[in-house]
Amino acid sequence: MSNERAEFSKRLAAAMLAQGHEPRPGVLVTQFNLRFPGTSVVFQTASRWLNGKGIPEQDKLVVLADWLKESPDFLRFGDRAVHGKRGARQVKEEAPTYDDQKVFDIYRALPAAQQKVVCDVILALAAPPSRRSTSIKRRAGA
């Protein structure tokens, strides 16, 4: 087991405990799959993450970090991310916080046509950058 993977698994387990979750693969796979919009991960994948045998890809790491209220860089790299490997200045942008339920309630109160616009915007923002530029060009008539 590589030291990097082992350290990641320790940070992941500690972050789960800090948020009141047992650091077990069953808990991790359930909570992760509730939040990840892509293909679900299986029990064995969560087990590998917690047992120091694997590190998730960046898109999955971002979801884990958001759920566990940590930065993806800290989960992945630990203190190296905070201090910077070469002493580089770290800039952390504070993410805005929203009352998700309130936003959802407002969305549900919108007329169907406006709900469609909101969905189109969200889907456009969630698309990979290469697809975003293609759809923008199509809409602009290019």
Side-chain angles (χ1 to χ4, degrees):
M1 162 173 35
S2 83
N3 190 41
E4 191 173 341
R5 291 178 190 158
E7 293 302 315
F8 166 77
S9 70
K10 288 177 189 174
R11 287 188 295 275
L12 178 59
M16 287 179 71
L17 281 171
Q19 292 302 314
H21 300 282
E22 285 188 67
R24 294 188 352 234
V27 173
L28 179 57
V29 76
T30 301
Q31 293 300 318
F32 177 81
N33 287 337
L34 286 172
R35 292 163 175 81
F36 188 64
T39 305
S40 298
V41 298
V42 295
F43 182 89
Q44 289 81 2
T45 300
S47 179
R48 290 177 56 81
W49 294 347
L50 282 169
N51 292 319
K53 295 180 182 173
I55 296 175
E57 295 172 2
Q58 187 64 24
D59 59 338
K60 292 173 178 65
L61 191 63
V62 168
V63 170
L64 285 172
D66 184 53
W67 166 51
L68 297 170
K69 297 176 178 44
E70 286 287 352
S71 78
D73 290 340
F74 177 77
L75 273 183
R76 177 71 173 85
F77 301 108
D79 289 333
R80 291 184 297 159
V82 175
H83 301 298
K85 204 168 187 183
R86 295 190 179 113
R89 190 173 139 220
Q90 298 291 320
V91 178
K92 181 178 179 184
E93 182 178 328
E94 289 297 319
T97 56
Y98 300 102
D99 180 348
D100 293 344
Q101 188 59 50
K102 182 178 179 181
V103 172
F104 186 69
D105 291 342
I106 292 168
Y107 165 79
R108 298 292 290 174
L110 293 173
Q114 289 180 341
Q115 285 183 3
K116 183 182 180 330
V117 171
V118 171
C119 287
D120 289 345
V121 169
I122 291 170
L123 291 172
L125 291 172
S130 60
R131 289 187 57 202
R132 268 190 244 151
S133 60
T134 304
S135 64
I136 291 169
K137 288 177 189 173
R138 264 191 258 130
R139 287 183 187 157

